[in-house]
Amino acid sequence: MSTAGPPATLDPYAIREDFPILSTVLHGDKPLVFLDNAASTQHPRQVIGALTEMYEKHYANVHRGIHWLSEQSTDLYEQTREKVRAFINAAMTEEIIFTPGTTASINTIARSWGDAHLTPGDEILLSVMEHHSNLVPWQQLAERQGAVLRHLPITDDGHLVLDQLDELLTERTKLVSLTSISNVLGTVNPIREITRRAHDAGALVLIDAAQHAPHLPLDVAELGCDFLAFSGHKMLGPSGVGVLYGRAEILDALPPFLGGGSMINSVQLDRFTPADLPAKFEAGTPPIAPAIALGAAIDYLNNLGLEAVHQHEVQLTRYAHDLLEGIAGVQILGPRAEEKAGIVTFVLEGIHAHDVAHLLDRQGVAVRAGHHCTQPLHDRLGVTATSRASFYLYNTLAEIDQLGDAILHAQHVFRRR
Ligand code: PMP
């Protein structure tokens, strides 16, 4: 029996003290209400401080020099790899590859694994709710290799149709690549069950955890997935760094994707031998300082506890649903509040999403409008554009009230026209 008690509750007001940008006042007198966290999150002083300290005291290229600064830089960079390993409970640091972000991580697998393993007629199973980053690399791969793409459909309320999984998993399915949490609907997908069923069918599994890693605990050992991708900038870290996790025995057998410095053991004029993991997949100078600052972001999240972060977001999401459902003309897309992460995507009757975002911005409220890099999902839902409010650990219930007020104001402005 677990002796752990309930997760500590977060105090978003205390947390906000760590985030200088959150005290911004815009358009004269409007306090910034930042609800665009699914696109990118803000940075606490601890992360900004780690970046500054790196550049002021420790910076040099890694794995190259034998001088003092390079050793410091290399040590910090490799210590961060260990932090990431522990954060997702990978078996070894060799399984952690630093990349520029989720998109680069997925493309690495599409190029390295896909080009080496797919033959014409092989199938890749995706879903209708995927981000373009988990669609286009596979479309490009399918074009190169003659592979076939299949897509798990969704229900009208934004759940994957699992009943069709067995039918879609055929003996030709080589890979299932799925988002763990939808960046539009907020749906938390049953990735553990899907991974198990995909493995039973003989397919490998890649999880797009871009919206998961910042918000919920991740455990690749428990999940059993073969590859996993996420981005630093969605979890308090800087832009320019992300992670590709891959099971060591699979990554070990793959050819490198990008060629250049660092990823080799030796080079002759007409050939090379690749380096061991993880260097094999880190060609060129990596995102040194951003990676180290991502380590500071992980420390920050670990300090709060991701379970507590999640509970806080559940509370915000419930509150936002209750509030928005009480406003006539607001339609929320996706599952009920209880079934999703901190993302509330909505349509305002008679007002285009871009106008909504613009009018909300005039009230200081930052949301995202458009198709959020999920055009096929929007096609499926029968809408061209939506507005998305997405929450994080520093958001407050009062800010959701401000979102509600800003929506009422937008409706008022449109009624007057
Ligand atoms: N997948 C999902 C689910 C996302 O939300 C995003 C970012 N919006 C990405 C992939 C791409 O991440 P990045 O732009 O950091 O590569």
Side-chain angles (χ1 to χ4, degrees), residues 82-96:
E82 166 54 24
K83 266 184 204 171
V84 174
R85 184 208 64 73
F87 185 68
I88 63 169
N89 196 27
M92 45 187 126
T93 49
E94 287 79 0
E95 298 181 318
I96 306 299

Side-chain angles (χ1 to χ4, degrees), residues 103 121 123 133 159 230 246 260 283 288 299 382 387 394:
T103 305
E123 294 170 12
S133 292
H159 291 288
F230 58 95
I288 304 165
D299 290 341
S387 306
Y394 37 65

Side-chain angles (χ1 to χ4, degrees), residues 38-40 99-106 129-134 178-184 208-212 229-234 239-242 343 368 372-374 388:
S40 210
T99 67
T102 306
T103 305
S105 298
I106 296 174
M129 68 166 79
E130 299 309 315
H131 188 281
H132 295 167
S133 292
N134 196 30
L178 278 186
T179 189
S180 164
I181 294 177
S182 160
N183 65 311
V184 173
D208 172 354
Q211 299 293 343
H212 182 144
F230 58 95
S231 301
H233 69 93
K234 293 182 194 286
S239 56
V241 64
I343 292 175
R368 176 142 176 208
H372 319 290
C373 301
T374 58
R388 178 182 71 186

Side-chain angles (χ1 to χ4, degrees), residues 235-247:
M235 50 187 285
L236 309 179
S239 56
V241 64
V243 171
L244 167 64
Y245 157 83
R247 281 205 290 121

